[in-house]
Amino acid sequence: MNETDAAAAESGRSKAAASDQLLARTIREESARIVSALTGWLGSLDLAEESVAEAIEEAVRQWRTRGVPPNPGGWLTQAARHNAIDRLRREKRYREKLALLTDPLEAAPLIVAGEPDERLPLLFGCCHPALSPDAQLALTLRAICGLTTAQIARATLAPESTVAQRIVRAKRKIGAAGIPLRIPEGSERAERLNIVLTVISVMYSEAHLVAGGDAAADRDLADDALWLARVVAHELPREAEAQAQGLLALLLFHRAREGARAVDGELVLLADQDRARWDRGLIDEAQAVLETAAMLRRPGRWQLHAAIAACHSDTRDGSHTDWLQVLTLYDMLLAYDYSPIVRLNRTVALAEVDGPQAALDEVDVLRRTLTGYHLWHAVRARMLRHLGRRDEAMAEDLCALELTANDAERRLLEARVDR
Amino acid sequence: MKYVIMFTTTPELDAAVSPEHAEQVYRRTYDWFGTHSEVMTESGAQLQPVTTATTVSYGGDAPVVADGPFSEAKEVIGGFQVIDVPDLDAAIAVVKTWPLLELPGVSVEIRPIIVY
């Protein structure tokens, strides 16, 4: 192949990639609405979701070559309905079942009046605590974001058969155990929203810490997570939205820094990031969202995470960070989230305010819970280095290196050990 | 929908609870059945202690009879009740108020019943 051919092939590839992005966006906008409507029509999430997933696979194949039709939602709905009827035909007693179906246009909507977006009851059902966290994530990616099983498998680094089984089991459980697809009321609502937001945040971070992958790869899940955070933040009733806005702000801050976080597949620590590479537009948006959330006067876990991210985005370079404010925010965060990871992250701010010895003492308290976590060793190494205990620091960095599965993080740690 | 709810305790943790506290909690279980009488079906039973259990297991040529519960688990089933509620969330809401859940080692399993 000569150079012109290679360039043509390259541009052909990039066009296909662009249209894949368009496909992903189109499908994402339609998927949950169709699953939701079909579930109401068929009375079975399992059947509805399977039929929509099949329609999405057909759409990806056809649209890639023929382009997206003028009414993609209508196309997908028709295809999914055909698939559902085909599936019912294969079952015994299909005539009885078909007779029970009303015309989808006349079918009672699944949504209860007053709920603004029909995707949310489905999303809140997919994130039911009676489903395992893995299943919540996989089902949300499929039923809400419209990812194929193969895409989920690649993004979450699980074998495709495992993902497929997880989704089937979760859907069957929703049907068999009577898990309602709705936004719960009362005190359950806040608890469930927290699971929904956790799933979205995991979706975002899965895209960044792909074992064996490069830091710049797999941006898709992050994009899906950001999209879903927007849907939830915008469509949720006002009294519940403070936390959702908090998560949206947090993800926007992370997204804004992404260009500086990974340079040529290498991870760059926050303190060393070239701030000119930060996306100012996204940071401004994140700050605006965070201010909206703060005005609701309902502080919580996600807002505090976002407020900490905001502190890091305020300054021109790492040396001007207001660490006392960061530490204060971490102390407030502990009231909502006393997880070992948050406590570990807090030690970094503590080191800046009270010095490395105080921070090291805190890090050591977490030894038993976090000894298998590579970043615990990396943080401990950092404190030891600040205290001039270089040999011990080196040993901790080696531990961290051994424990990390991500290529980019591994190279970052290797660079430290070499130093 | 109908669900079986199975009440379990962990005998080795029971000792940590004072007899007065245990008695007071157990007394409230009667009120609990009253409060939720609308969802209670006729089916349900409180069981004799696990020391009275006998298990018949597969044994190749012929079933084998032995002393003790079927599983080696630390938890033992103390009773069960069939409830009739609209969905799993309603079942969870009822179960969350089970008075014994303030004692360590207590759990309640919720299982839907197959309808033919």
Side-chain angles (χ1 to χ4, degrees), chain A residues 213-235:
Chain A
D214 283 333
D218 283 291
R219 293 172 61 103
D220 268 349
L221 271 201
D223 198 46
D224 285 324
L226 205 50
W227 168 81
L228 192 51
R230 269 186 218 281
V231 169
V232 175
H234 292 162
E235 304 298 339

Side-chain angles (χ1 to χ4, degrees), chain A residues 128 130 175-180 182 188 191-192, chain B residues 1 3 86-90 92-93 96 112-113:
Chain A
H128 198 283
I179 292 177
R182 64 157 177 258
E188 300 292 318
E191 272 175 50
R192 187 73 61 82
Chain B
M1 278 186 75
Y3 297 85
D87 54 42
L88 183 64
D89 280 355
I92 291 173
K96 271 189 171 175
I113 292 179

Side-chain angles (χ1 to χ4, degrees), chain A residues 57-125:
Chain A
E57 308 247 2
E58 290 158 24
V60 170
R61 272 198 303 277
Q62 285 200 22
W63 299 356
R64 204 175 262 152
T65 49
R66 293 183 216 163
V68 176
N71 176 4
W75 193 102
L76 281 170
T77 307
Q78 280 302 332
R81 280 186 60 199
H82 280 295
N83 296 337
I85 291 169
D86 273 354
R87 277 166 189 274
L88 282 177
R89 280 212 179 99
R90 274 179 252 140
E91 289 182 28
K92 285 181 195 161
R93 299 190 298 164
Y94 78 92
R95 278 178 197 287
E96 297 161 47
K97 285 192 179 172
L98 277 181
L100 286 176
L101 300 181
T102 43
D103 188 285
L105 297 174
E106 291 168 20
L110 183 68
I111 338 125
V112 183
E115 280 173 1
D117 188 314
E118 70 268 41
R119 293 172 292 187
L120 293 187
L122 183 63
L123 172 63
F124 277 65

Side-chain angles (χ1 to χ4, degrees), chain A residues 99-293:
Chain A
L100 286 176
L101 300 181
T102 43
D103 188 285
L105 297 174
E106 291 168 20
L110 183 68
I111 338 125
V112 183
E115 280 173 1
D117 188 314
E118 70 268 41
R119 293 172 292 187
L120 293 187
L122 183 63
L123 172 63
F124 277 65
C126 289
C127 294
H128 198 283
L131 303 172
S132 75
D134 284 342
Q136 292 164 356
L137 178 65
L139 197 53
T140 300
L141 284 171
R142 224 170 82 143
I144 309 293
C145 300
L147 267 73
T148 64
T149 303
Q151 285 172 328
I152 299 169
R154 278 199 301 276
T156 58
L157 282 178
E160 203 173 319
S161 57
T162 309
V163 174
Q165 198 182 36
R166 223 173 250 165
I167 291 169
V168 166
R169 269 201 202 139
K171 284 188 301 183
R172 301 248 157 99
K173 180 162 184 190
I174 287 177
I179 292 177
L181 302 174
R182 64 157 177 258
I183 303 177
E185 314 248 309
S187 63
E188 300 292 318
R189 188 189 192 117
E191 272 175 50
R192 187 73 61 82
L193 177 62
N194 196 31
I195 301 179
V196 168
L197 299 179
T198 304
V199 166
I200 298 173
S201 123
V202 169
M203 197 187 283
Y204 190 90
S205 49
E206 288 269 343
H208 290 257
L209 288 172
V210 176
D214 283 333
D218 283 291
R219 293 172 61 103
D220 268 349
L221 271 201
D223 198 46
D224 285 324
L226 205 50
W227 168 81
L228 192 51
R230 269 186 218 281
V231 169
V232 175
H234 292 162
E235 304 298 339
L236 214 57
R238 219 175 147 64
E239 75 276 7
E241 73 188 14
Q243 287 313 302
Q245 302 267 11
L247 176 73
L248 176 59
L250 175 66
L251 296 191
L252 286 167
F253 278 124
H254 282 315
R255 191 63 160 175
R257 294 197 214 119
E258 211 159 81
R261 187 177 182 270
V263 177
D264 303 327
E266 302 295 331
L267 270 183
V268 183
L269 285 182
L270 187 58
D272 304 327
Q273 285 176 11
D274 174 5
R275 277 145 212 247
R277 282 171 174 264
W278 286 359
D279 186 328
R280 281 322 308 185
L282 283 180
I283 288 182
D284 291 345
E285 190 190 349
Q287 251 144 6
V289 172
L290 185 58
E291 275 162 33
T292 315

Side-chain angles (χ1 to χ4, degrees), chain A residues 363-375:
Chain A
V363 171
D364 284 345
V365 171
L366 298 166
R367 180 190 296 272
R368 267 186 47 199
T369 26
L370 292 180
T371 189
Y373 180 52
H374 65 286
L375 289 181

